[in-house]
């Protein structure tokens, strides 16, 4: 899927009506506004953050999915805002590997 997201305009991510949400970071990295179920996404901080910034939409049924899609499809400003919210979230939260490596390097020098 990660290779296909670059061609998309939206992403519907499964799992949130069941045990938990599947990976939303890959499509978000391509600036795709996201849709997923509203039952079991709250334990994922990235999902909550993207819902809060209107980059993602937690939906309860097909009617809500259609309403969200229609709003974004018919309002270019809303679509661009949602897309930007996803891309910005990824950009602001990169760098974990560097932080971990710096910590390990620092700890190894002290030992």
């Amino acid at each position: 899927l990660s290779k296909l997201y670059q061609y998309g305009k939206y992403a519907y991510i499964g799992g949130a009506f069941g045990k938990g949400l599947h990976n939303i970071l890959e499509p978000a990295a391509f600036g795709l506004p996201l849709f997923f179920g509203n039952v079991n996404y709250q334990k994922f901080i990235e999902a909550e953050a993207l819902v809060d910034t209107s980059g993602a939409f937690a939906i309860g049924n097909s009617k809500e999915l259609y309403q969200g899609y229609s709003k974004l499809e018919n309002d270019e400003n809303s679509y661009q805002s949602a897309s930007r919210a996803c891309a910005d979230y990824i950009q602001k939260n990169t760098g974990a590997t560097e932080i971990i490596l710096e910590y390990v390097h620092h700890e190894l020098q002290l030992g």
Side-chain angles (χ1 to χ4, degrees):
L1 282 176
S2 64
K3 294 187 186 329
L4 295 176
Y5 288 129
Q6 65 183 314
Y7 302 110
K9 188 169 179 182
Y10 305 94
Y12 179 83
I13 309 301
F17 286 120
K19 291 184 178 184
L21 185 61
H22 295 238
N23 185 344
I24 67 170
L25 296 177
E26 289 176 345
F30 287 99
L32 301 183
L34 308 171
F35 294 93
F36 45 76
N38 66 355
V39 175
N40 198 4
Y41 73 91
Q42 293 85 353
K43 65 182 177 180
F44 300 93
I45 58 171
E46 64 275 17
E48 284 198 334
L50 288 171
V51 167
D52 289 345
T53 60
S54 297
F57 305 89
I59 52 101
N61 53 48
S62 60
K63 182 180 178 182
E64 290 178 12
L65 174 61
Y66 179 75
Q67 289 171 338
Y69 164 79
S70 293
K71 179 181 185 324
L72 296 179
E73 192 65 16
N74 294 316
D75 181 358
E76 184 62 24
N77 288 334
S78 292
Y79 176 82
Q80 290 299 325
S81 178
S83 176
R84 203 169 28 257
C86 288
D88 287 350
Y89 180 82
I90 297 298
Q91 186 64 35
K92 289 177 187 172
N93 290 284
T94 58
T97 302
E98 184 177 322
I99 292 168
I100 292 168
L101 289 175
E102 286 177 14
Y103 174 80
V104 169
H105 180 72
H106 178 265
E107 291 299 312
L108 290 175
Q109 285 185 346
L110 293 178

